[in-house]
Amino acid sequence: MVEDARHALESVSLAPSPVVAAIDLGTTYSGFFYAYRRDPGNIYGEYNWPGQVEAIGRPYCKTSTTSLYQETSPGGGWKLLEIGYPAMLRHLDYLGPGQDTGEGRQVMLSRVKLYLASVEYARGGEGLQLPEGLTVRRVLSEYLAEMGAMAVKEIQAKLGAYIKKSDIQWCLTVPAIWDEPAKQEMRRIAEAAGLIGPGASPHPLLIVLEPEAAAVYCDKHMAAARGGIKRGDVFLIADVGGGTADLIVQEKMDRSLREVSRGSGDLCGGTYVDGAFLEFLGDRIPCLERFLDAHPRQMVLLMSWWEQQKRGFSGAGNPVVFDLPARLAAMWEKEDSEVFEDRDRLIISPAELRSIFDPTLDKILALIDAQLAASPKCDQLFLVGGFSQSPYLIKRVTDTFAHRVANIVTPPEPGTAICQGAVLFGLDPSIIAERTSRKTYGIKCDRPFEKGDPEEKKFLHEDHGCFYVRGSFHVFVRNGEQVPVDSKISHTFNPSRLDDTQSSVTLLTTDKRNPKFADDNGVEESFGFSIDLGIMPRGQRSFDVQMKFGATSIEVAAFRKGLDDDDDPVEVKVVRFEKRFANSRSY
Ligand SMILES: Nc1ncnc2c1ncn2[C@@H]1O[C@H](COP(=O)(O)OP(=O)(O)OP(=O)(O)O)[C@@H](O)[C@H]1O
Ligand SMILES: [Mg+2]
């Protein structure tokens, strides 16, 4: 806790970094953008990824979020061989266990970020299984370390060789639907990757919410358009990526943006369409799974073929023809010789393709619909994220919502919106002026008994000579309430007994709007610290607890009344909210 206080104070005294760089570590694709702080109008990014033309046939603003590992000792030793497209390509040459160079088993890992989305999902057996000896933290931090090194090299090459790691302020994007432990885990991953901390950047990592970054980008993008986004305009942004769809509604203020209603999201990005395609194919070709297990390189070829079909599908048109690899055709023929059918190819009709896309698109449309219901005044709808380029997705969104929203836009390069927006946010975090709280936050305290309070929590307060209740949830901010960024909310508390020389401050969080007690269902005791009151005279011991809702974190501080003040933080205990969850989940 004390260390955190020091960290917060140090960061205040640092001069702003000359360079701001953002890494978008996406579920399926990842990339980086950067800018000189002095030249915020020019944001640069990487479009020239190794292996991209071979892997996907064209330049893209991101590389694949794929890591290739090789086993160095059976049952747990692994080394990272490649990341990105080169990982996919190198895996193509892998002939399977026991048949390669004898160097040890290779595994290609993708979609690992989804493990962080929710514990239930990660444990839900949806095919995400890390081999023994590899953890989510290790895989993502090693990926991020490689990506960070590439970014530093590129920044030095493009902006100047004199730029040091310590000159860079890093921004890392996370989906808004992630819970606090997941965001915190991302911070630890960045530390493990060597982006921040000793020997790296002293500037605190900015965790940027992906839809907010998208909003900042769209606002800037539309500034040049006729009319642009005007003061008072309300716009909805749907960031439809590989794993998640994240939605947010913003209102344009004079020089900033304000979140209008609580954002929403779901696991319904483009990779769920890939999953549905594999399921569809598996239903038609019963031996497919065994074939792919036996020939892992075929999976890469199959999915890159599918990627092209997915990008081209508009909802109608000609059927697509999948030419089966000869070995798969032979395997199928052998196992199912009864039915007469052309085994070399599979024809997939537009109706079948629609059935592959529709469950995911239905979820995305439902999210947009719910946001529009919550914010009936919506002037513009922006679709960003890689999957928002799908012609069929655009058609369904337009068909469904054109009568409700006048302007539906997919900006150019929607896949870069998050990362460019994160750089813009890093350059000027004050651009997001107001947020909607996604939780109820408060402090645990004892308070006078009120009618209706549970009897078992009641006790006689000897100092005050009246009944009190234990463990009340004293609310600072409710779920759904608007909170201006950098606003501070304070409440005054007294120690439980007049003789107490210490008092504890325990932060409570919950999704509920009206929690009553710290032990209510769904209330978490997020962290606690104690404040020393011994130097204050008995009977005059009281303190303020202040929550500051900052650009990327919530800080909780306690001030002894009459002794400490805002400008003299020597005795102030500051806890960075996000830091506290470090050990609350294991990965
Ligand atoms: N032109 C296109 N048409 C259709 N889908 C596309 C197109 N380009 C990319 N995609 C899909 O978009 C998804 C990747 O989008 P994006 O790069 O925004 O995801 P991400 O940032 O990795 O994911 P997330 O934000 O969920 O972590 C993939 O499913 C990819 O197949
Ligand atoms: Mg994304």
Side-chain angles (χ1 to χ4, degrees):
M1 189 173 62
V2 174
E3 192 184 277
D4 286 340
R6 216 183 307 126
H7 178 74
L9 294 175
E10 275 169 7
S11 65
V12 168
S13 60
L14 270 178
S17 66
V19 174
V20 173
I23 294 181
D24 175 10
L25 177 71
T27 311
T28 44
Y29 291 98
S30 300
F32 58 81
F33 279 76
Y34 53 93
Y36 256 134
R37 202 178 278 282
R38 279 202 319 261
D39 183 20
N42 285 312
I43 297 179
Y44 308 99
E46 179 61 75
Y47 290 84
N48 191 19
W49 298 98
Q52 64 188 0
V53 175
E54 235 180 303
I56 57 166
R58 67 201 170 94
Y60 186 47
C61 53
K62 305 193 210 178
T63 189
S64 167
T65 313
T66 299
S67 307
L68 185 65
Y69 278 88
Q70 184 169 58
E71 200 168 31
T72 51
S73 61
W78 294 95
K79 80 168 179 208
L80 178 67
L81 294 178
E82 303 272 8
I83 64 153
Y85 299 128
M88 294 166 65
L89 295 170
R90 184 156 168 187
H91 195 55
L92 283 178
D93 299 328
Y94 177 60
L95 298 174
Q99 295 168 42
D100 64 331
T101 57
E103 269 200 316
R105 182 160 72 106
Q106 264 185 24
V107 288
M108 193 177 81
L109 302 171
S110 49
R111 305 212 307 159
V112 176
K113 187 185 171 192
L114 281 181
Y115 276 101
L116 294 178
S118 75
V119 174
E120 302 81 62
Y121 181 81
R123 294 196 186 133
E126 295 208 28
L128 289 168
Q129 273 286 305
L130 286 183
E132 204 186 331
L134 285 174
T135 59
V136 173
R137 186 179 296 165
R138 174 164 170 203
V139 174
L140 292 182
S141 64
E142 290 187 341
Y143 187 94
L144 203 54
E146 294 286 319
M147 184 63 86
M150 277 192 258
V152 170
K153 213 168 142 197
E154 177 74 9
I155 289 167
Q156 288 171 338
K158 297 280 164 63
L159 299 187
Y162 60 88
I163 292 171
K164 300 184 293 294
K165 282 185 188 172
S166 55
D167 292 330
I168 301 171
Q169 158 96 62
W170 291 102
C171 308
L172 203 54
T173 60
V174 299
I177 56 166
W178 275 14
D179 57 12
E180 290 300 329
K183 286 182 207 160
Q184 175 53 24
E185 181 58 16
M186 217 40 196
R187 191 177 283 282
R188 289 178 68 94
I189 286 168
E191 274 170 28
L195 289 186
I196 49 169
S201 174
H203 301 278
L205 177 77
L206 271 186
I207 297 274
V208 186
L209 300 181
E210 288 170 5
E212 281 188 0
V216 173
Y217 173 79
C218 290
D219 180 41
K220 182 184 175 230
H221 167 69
M222 292 305 283
R226 191 155 59 95
I229 302 178
K230 299 182 295 299
R231 190 184 195 291
D233 273 5
V234 174
F235 59 106
L236 166 59
I237 295 189
D239 166 24
V240 196
T244 45
D246 246 319
L247 282 79
I248 199 166
V249 179
Q250 298 274 356
E251 181 183 342
K252 174 85 175 164
M253 317 284 281
D254 278 332
R255 292 188 54 248
S256 56
L257 303 172
R258 162 181 172 266
E259 190 180 352
V260 171
S261 58
R262 208 189 123 127
S264 60
D266 206 350
L267 293 172
C268 51
T271 57
Y272 291 89
V273 177
D274 304 342
F277 165 69
L278 277 178
E279 224 168 86
F280 169 85
L281 214 57
D283 283 347
R284 301 286 292 272
I285 310 172
C287 59
L288 181 75
E289 202 177 325
R290 266 173 295 124
F291 172 76
L292 293 175
D293 281 348
H295 307 283
R297 67 196 300 257
Q298 293 292 333
M299 186 64 145
V300 178
L301 294 174
L302 174 64
M303 293 322 283
S304 84
W305 174 84
W306 165 247
E307 189 68 29
Q308 298 310 318
Q309 312 311 315
K310 185 168 92 169
R311 287 172 189 223
F313 183 58
S314 65
N318 296 326
V320 299
V321 179
F322 173 53
D323 288 313
L324 270 69
R327 276 182 297 186
L328 174 59
M331 192 170 170
W332 189 14
E333 182 101 52
K334 203 163 133 205
E335 293 193 3
D336 192 9
S337 56
E338 300 280 299
V339 190
F340 176 77
E341 211 176 312
D342 183 358
R343 300 289 184 195
D344 299 338
R345 53 194 358 223
L346 197 73
I347 295 169
I348 310 174
S349 71
E352 286 169 326
L353 286 170
R354 284 197 296 274
S355 75
I356 290 169
F357 275 72
D358 280 341
T360 302
L361 296 189
D362 288 345
K363 275 188 169 182
I364 296 167
L365 295 185
L367 286 170
I368 297 176
D369 189 57
Q371 283 290 349
L372 290 177
S375 320
K377 170 180 160 41
C378 179
D379 307 288
Q380 327 223 16
L381 165 56
F382 293 99
L383 296 169
V384 299
F387 190 40
S388 75
Q389 293 165 96
S390 154
Y392 183 42
L393 180 147
I394 295 173
K395 177 178 166 19
R396 285 209 55 197
V397 171
T398 313
D399 286 354
T400 315
F401 300 110
H403 67 287
R404 284 162 77 180
V405 188
N407 197 17
I408 299 179
V409 178
T410 307
E413 294 190 56
T416 71
I418 306 300
C419 209
Q420 293 210 47
V423 175
L424 290 166
F425 180 83
L427 290 166
D428 178 15
S430 72
I431 192 153
I432 299 290
E434 197 167 299
R435 291 211 172 92
T436 306
S437 183
R438 282 157 173 77
K439 298 250 181 209
T440 298
Y441 297 101
I443 293 292
K444 183 173 163 180
C445 69
D446 299 340
R447 60 157 172 80
F449 182 84
E450 288 167 11
K451 214 172 137 215
D453 281 338
E455 287 293 324
E456 70 275 10
K457 295 192 190 320
K458 182 171 161 184
F459 68 98
L460 181 64
H461 199 301
E462 289 177 3
D463 293 326
H464 297 309
C466 61
F467 287 110
Y468 263 58
V469 275
R470 268 185 221 296
S472 171
F473 192 128
H474 187 100
V475 173
F476 277 58
V477 160
R478 285 184 205 283
N479 185 342
E481 264 174 17
Q482 298 293 120
V483 186
V485 172
D486 280 340
S487 62
K488 295 173 184 170
I489 299 176
S490 281
H491 292 280
T492 302
F493 297 88
N494 299 306
S496 293
R497 286 185 307 272
L498 290 178
D499 284 333
D500 287 349
T501 54
Q502 296 264 327
S503 200
S504 63
V505 176
T506 305
L507 178 73
L508 303 173
T509 57
T510 179
D511 290 334
K512 291 183 174 168
R513 265 189 71 78
N514 293 307
K516 293 275 177 258
F517 290 96
D519 58 359
D520 282 359
N521 260 345
V523 172
E524 274 181 48
E525 287 197 7
S526 299
F527 66 79
F529 58 87
S530 69
I531 176 162
D532 184 6
L533 304 168
I535 53 171
M536 305 169 86
R538 187 180 183 277
Q540 291 173 30
R541 292 172 187 153
S542 68
F543 57 98
D544 283 342
V545 176
Q546 181 192 78
M547 288 190 199
K548 182 178 168 198
F549 297 84
T552 59
S553 63
I554 301 172
E555 289 178 6
V556 180
F559 302 84
R560 291 167 304 198
K561 271 203 109 66
L563 280 186
D564 306 324
D565 67 62
D566 239 352
D567 302 326
D568 179 17
V570 182
E571 299 286 347
V572 178
K573 314 275 188 192
V574 180
V575 178
R576 272 184 181 271
F577 177 70
E578 289 171 350
K579 286 207 157 217
R580 256 310 297 164
F581 292 90
N583 300 315
S584 60
R585 268 165 79 177
S586 55
Y587 290 86

